[in-house]
Structure formats: C-alpha cells, structure tokens
Amino acid sequence: MSKAARALRRSSVRLRSLGSGHTSINLVISEQSNVRSKLKGCVSAQQSAAKRVQKWSQQEKSPAIQDVLYQHAELDLLWTETQTEFVGALKGYKLSYEHILEMEKKLDQARKQLNANEEKEKKLQKELVKGPKEPAITQEKLRQATDQRRLSELEVASQQKETELYKLMSLKAGLLDLSAAMERLSDKCATLATSQRNLASLIPEANTRMDQLPLYTGNRESTHIVFSARQQLDQAPPTYASAAFRSLPSSVSASSMGAGLTLASAPMLLPKALTTLADTPDYFNDSFESFDSD
C-alpha cells in the first residue's frame, strides 16, 4: 500500500471517530485489519505461484521434476492451511481491541447519562430559586433528580473500574492466544521446511558432463515424506491458549446490575470465542475463499 493510500485510510478512520474520543484504538483496529489483509494477499500470491509451478512440472519429461514438484504441491497446500490458521488468530487478536472499544462506548453512555441527570438537577435548582407556583412539587422533583444523579455517579465509577479491569483481561487473553498461534506457526513451518529439504534431497545429483540423465528412484520415499509431514501437523497442539472469548451482551451496565457491580458478577468476562476456520478449498482453485472477511 502506498503512503498516500495509508494516509487516506487513516484519515477516514479519524473522520469516523470524530466526537467519539476513540480515534487511537480505532486506528489500532484498522491497522490490525490491514495486517490480515496483507497476509491474505501474500498467501493468495503463493497459491498462484504454486499453481504455475505444478503446471510446468507436469510438462517436463524428468521423472524427478514431475514427482518431487507434485509432492511439493501437497506441502504448499499444508503451508497454505497453516497460514490461514494464523490469519484466523490475528482476527482473534483484533477482537480483543474491538471488545475494549465496546466497553469504552458503554462507559461513554454512562457518562452521557450522568451529564443529563446533572443538567436536570441544575435546572430544577434554578426553578426552585425563582419561586415556582408549586414549590412542594418542584422540591420532590429535585429530590428525585438528585437521587438519579447520585446513582449515575455510582454507575460511572463502577463502569469505569469495570472497563479498566476488562482492558487488562482482554489484552492478556489476546496476547496469550497470539503467542500460542505464533508458536504453532513456527513449529509447523519448521516441519514443512524439513520436509521440503528432504524432498529436494531426493533429486539425483547431476552435472553437465554426464552422458545421460541420472536415474530417479524416490517415488515411494517422496510420498512418505509428505504423509509424515501431514501427520505431524495434525498432531500439533491447539492454537489458542485461553479459548475463553465470549460476546459482550448489549445490556451490560452498572444500572442493570446495581451500584455494587464487580467484574466477578459480570456475565461478560472475555470476548467472543474464536472459531476454527473452515477447511481450505481446493489448492489449485483460482479464487481465494478460505479466509473469512474482516
């Protein structure tokens, strides 16, 4: 992406954030989406390149080239699946910031309600000073407005504490899950790199002084190398460390749970559960549909 395009994207985020006071975290979310988008494009380009290599190999007369690159295409497929899984983990990491933003917006709503109650209380105080026609009724309204304002103050304080605690929990869970996904990616990458090296080793040594092409005898071993690689990847441990994300309910607020709201009593401790990505489609499909949208 060019500097101009990046600047335009960030400017659009800032414009959408006007008045909300959450420009910084919206930019974080936008950049995380951009990272996922770039990785998707990279994997798509790898698929296209691998497809061309496969087509070329099948036109060659050398049994070594045909067999090794045929088996290598299977490794490419495993590599695509591995990267797809990691892209899914990046979406989970982005979700941790999205849910933090949701909590910030709920706090904004509580503060907005407090401001409204304060304005109502001040207005009734002014009316009482002016000498209303029915002072008793005005005094009762003022008492109720004062109670509402005090309740709103308790709600804001509780929601603010809730939000700060939730930030710590959500960020920790997101980072732990991302770390687990990175470790899994590293382990799978090492497995695939070893398998690729073993495949390459099956190609017989050759030089320009030879009178005839060397004999290739690695058909059975090449199949075993790919089979072993897939077995190792299938036995890899789960990607996510926390696996505890849940959706934030829209009704979460201190007023709905009382002034004594605590994190332990809230029903939304962690964000939405990250689901396993669907199986990658046929490797040589020109369309790249294995990734879900942002």
Side-chain angles (χ1 to χ4, degrees):
M1 181 182 292
S2 66
K3 291 183 178 179
R6 286 196 298 269
L8 181 61
R9 177 171 53 81
R10 291 169 183 169
S11 296
S12 66
V13 172
R14 289 188 175 94
L15 287 174
R16 291 197 301 269
S17 304
L18 284 178
S20 68
H22 303 299
T23 302
S24 182
I25 193 168
N26 274 313
L27 285 171
V28 169
I29 294 169
S30 175
E31 291 295 345
Q32 291 298 324
S33 296
N34 187 46
V35 170
R36 294 187 70 236
S37 177
K38 294 298 184 183
L39 285 178
K40 290 177 185 180
C42 179
V43 178
S44 181
Q46 291 175 7
Q47 281 189 309
S48 179
K51 177 180 178 180
R52 297 303 174 186
V53 170
Q54 173 67 3
K55 285 186 175 181
W56 170 79
S57 68
Q58 297 308 307
Q59 298 170 1
E60 290 298 302
K61 297 179 180 180
S62 169
I65 292 177
Q66 288 187 358
D67 181 61
V68 169
L69 290 184
Y70 176 81
Q71 298 296 344
H72 187 266
E74 294 296 318
L75 295 183
D76 281 332
L77 174 58
L78 294 175
W79 179 227
T80 296
E81 293 172 350
T82 298
Q83 293 178 93
T84 302
E85 182 182 17
F86 182 69
V87 171
L90 290 179
K91 182 176 183 179
Y93 182 57
K94 186 186 74 165
L95 276 175
S96 65
Y97 292 101
E98 291 177 345
H99 285 293
I100 287 173
L101 178 59
E102 287 185 45
M103 292 296 290
E104 290 281 9
K105 289 180 177 179
K106 291 181 185 296
L107 178 57
D108 289 345
Q109 293 173 359
R111 286 170 173 164
K112 184 178 181 180
Q113 184 60 49
L114 173 59
N115 291 336
N117 289 338
E118 287 176 340
E119 289 298 323
K120 183 177 180 180
E121 183 184 24
K122 290 178 182 179
K123 182 178 180 181
L124 289 170
Q125 287 173 343
K126 291 179 180 179
E127 288 182 10
L128 196 60
V129 171
K130 291 179 180 179
K133 294 180 180 180
E134 298 177 335
I137 296 178
T138 304
Q139 285 180 348
E140 177 59 22
K141 289 182 178 180
L142 177 59
R143 185 190 65 78
Q144 293 177 359
T146 301
D147 289 344
Q148 290 177 346
R149 187 259 303 164
R150 290 172 178 170
L151 180 61
S152 293
E153 287 177 342
L154 291 174
E155 183 171 350
V156 168
S158 180
Q159 187 69 44
Q160 187 169 4
K161 177 183 177 182
E162 186 84 15
T163 299
E164 292 305 315
L165 290 173
Y166 186 87
K167 286 180 184 178
L168 298 176
M169 296 175 65
S170 182
L171 182 60
K172 181 175 182 178
L175 287 172
L176 285 174
D177 284 344
L178 181 60
S179 299
M182 293 173 69
E183 290 176 352
R184 184 179 174 92
L185 176 67
S186 175
D187 291 342
K188 287 190 171 185
C189 183
T191 297
L192 292 171
T194 299
S195 299
Q196 180 173 281
R197 182 176 63 248
N198 292 340
L199 273 181
S201 299
L202 296 179
I203 300 176
E205 295 292 337
N207 60 68
T208 56
R209 295 189 297 272
M210 289 182 172
D211 295 331
Q212 59 183 5
L213 293 176
L215 182 65
Y216 177 69
T217 58
N219 300 72
R220 181 175 298 180
E221 190 172 353
S222 66
T223 301
H224 177 71
I225 288 172
V226 174
F227 177 78
S228 297
R230 182 174 288 278
Q231 274 195 322
Q232 292 181 56
L233 298 190
D234 290 342
Q235 294 171 1
T239 300
Y240 302 114
S242 67
F245 285 124
R246 290 194 292 273
S247 295
L248 283 174
S250 58
S251 60
V252 172
S253 67
S255 62
S256 64
M257 290 181 250
L261 178 66
T262 63
L263 198 60
S265 64
M268 53 8 133
L269 298 183
L270 286 172
K272 188 177 182 180
L274 301 174
T275 57
T276 305
L277 291 175
D279 292 336
T280 306
D282 184 75
Y283 180 72
F284 296 116
N285 191 336
D286 283 328
S287 61
F288 189 54
E289 301 173 346
S290 59
F291 295 118
D292 50 354
S293 63
D294 287 310

